[in-house]
């Protein structure tokens, strides 16, 4: 059974600081997604990582994927209050070698950025 | 519409009642997914449709849950004899093909409360 674990689950940080959220998963996959969720809202896609060594950046967020270590990171640079949200990683579960977007999500990391 | 639309946004029902939750995917998207998100958790996969057929229903928790997509567009998730443990946010997502790397876009969800 595929398991996806994020840490930390709660992250309180000051504006201007840097931090990294980690996402570990238990079985082979080279398809990993990061989503953002604001309270009471749905999931917003942030990054799609499709190969070992993939790195994507958008604004103050950068995501990377190491398929050999089964690890993805979401790095936050110079945090601002607007980044406060819950961040989920999700791994595409394969079934018999095929894949069709069936995602297994981590527990989520609740990020709070203080002035 | 521009995005995935789910109705109702909130549903309160009594234990033992029957409910239907509707999902209207992005026009032209052939892949449709239902997920369930309990408080403080990541979404959990329920069922995947490719066109009109349920290609994977392995996430449905028991036979009280059923979903249809008769014309390959709108989908309805049906829950019979609701229980308090069914209370959660039910999320629908669609993607253009369901193939590798295609993003799934999520709706706002239906918050189901069973009292």
């Amino acid at each position: 059974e595929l398991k996806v674990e994020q840490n930390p689950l709660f992250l309180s940080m000051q504006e201007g600081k840097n931090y990294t959220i980690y996402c570990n998963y238990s079985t082979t996959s080279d398809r990993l997604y990061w989503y953002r969720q604001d309270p009471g809202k749905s999931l917003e896609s942030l990054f799609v990582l499709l190969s070992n060594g993939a790195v994507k950046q958008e604004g103050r967020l950068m995501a990377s994927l190491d398929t050999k270590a089964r690890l993805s990171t979401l790095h936050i640079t110079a945090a601002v209050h607007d980044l406060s949200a819950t961040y989920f990683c999700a791994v595409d579960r394969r079934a018999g070698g095929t894949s069709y977007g069936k995602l297994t999500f981590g527990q989520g990391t609740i990020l709070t950025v203080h002035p | 519409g521009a995005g995935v639309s789910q109705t109702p946004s909130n549903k309160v029902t009594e234990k033992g009642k029957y409910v239907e939750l509707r999902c209207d995917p992005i026009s032209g998207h052939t892949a449709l997914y239902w997920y369930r998100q309990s408080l403080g958790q990541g979404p959990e996969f329920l069922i995947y449709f490719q066109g009109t057929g349920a290609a994977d229903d392995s996430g449905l928790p028991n036979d009280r849950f059923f979903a249809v997509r008769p014309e390959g567009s709108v989908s309805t998730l049906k829950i019979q004899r609701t229980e308090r443990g069914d209370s959660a946010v039910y999320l629908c997502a669609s993607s253009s093909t369901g193939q590798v790397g295609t993003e799934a876009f999520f709706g706002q969800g239906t918050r189901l409360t069973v009292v």
Side-chain angles (χ1 to χ4, degrees):
Chain A
E1 179 188 351
L2 173 59
K3 293 185 179 179
V4 181
E5 294 187 347
Q6 290 180 234
N7 76 84
L9 300 183
F10 299 93
L11 178 54
S12 179
M13 55 190 299
Q14 282 189 312
E15 282 190 330
K17 298 294 187 181
N18 304 333
Y19 211 87
T20 301
I21 299 170
Y22 297 88
C23 174
N24 290 91
Y25 52 97
S26 62
T27 64
T28 301
S29 177
D30 56 4
R31 299 151 193 171
L32 191 136
Y33 304 77
W34 283 96
Y35 286 90
R36 168 182 172 144
Q37 188 175 40
D38 291 290
K41 304 292 186 182
S42 192
L43 295 161
E44 174 191 352
S45 177
L46 294 175
F47 300 108
V48 179
L49 303 169
L50 297 177
S51 61
N52 186 39
V55 177
K56 291 196 175 179
Q57 183 163 5
E58 180 73 33
R60 301 174 188 275
L61 300 178
M62 183 173 70
S64 66
L65 178 61
D66 181 342
T67 59
K68 294 179 181 176
R70 298 179 186 170
L71 171 69
S72 179
T73 60
L74 180 67
H75 187 72
I76 304 155
T77 302
V80 293
H81 179 68
D82 285 353
L83 290 179
S84 297
T86 300
Y87 292 84
F88 291 96
C89 64
V91 177
D92 195 329
R93 298 165 65 173
R94 296 191 187 205
T98 63
S99 176
Y100 44 82
K102 176 181 179 181
L103 300 177
T104 300
F105 284 81
Q107 314 97 305
T109 296
I110 300 175
L111 171 65
T112 305
V113 181
H114 300 284
Chain B
V4 178
S5 175
Q6 291 186 246
T7 55
S9 54
N10 281 283
K11 176 72 177 178
V12 180
T13 191
E14 291 182 347
K15 180 174 175 287
K17 298 290 188 183
Y18 168 83
V19 295
E20 290 189 351
L21 311 179
R22 176 187 167 108
C23 172
D24 201 338
I26 293 171
S27 179
H29 280 193
T30 60
L32 184 145
Y33 314 82
W34 283 99
Y35 289 82
R36 178 168 71 174
Q37 186 174 22
S38 300
L39 190 63
Q41 301 295 318
E44 294 180 304
F45 171 82
L46 296 177
I47 187 169
Y48 158 65
F49 286 90
Q50 182 60 253
T52 60
D56 183 345
D57 64 357
S58 61
L60 294 178
N62 51 59
D63 61 5
R64 295 186 297 105
F65 288 74
F66 188 71
V68 295
R69 194 186 186 200
E71 298 179 358
S73 178
V74 172
S75 176
T76 305
L77 179 64
K78 308 180 181 192
I79 310 174
Q80 298 177 319
R81 305 183 303 281
T82 51
E83 299 178 356
R84 292 197 178 89
D86 298 336
S87 297
V89 175
Y90 289 81
L91 294 167
C92 176
S94 71
S95 70
S96 57
T97 65
Q99 292 180 1
V100 173
T102 55
E103 287 181 66
F105 295 89
F106 284 80
Q108 298 282 77
T110 293
R111 182 175 299 277
L112 175 66
T113 304
V114 181
V115 298

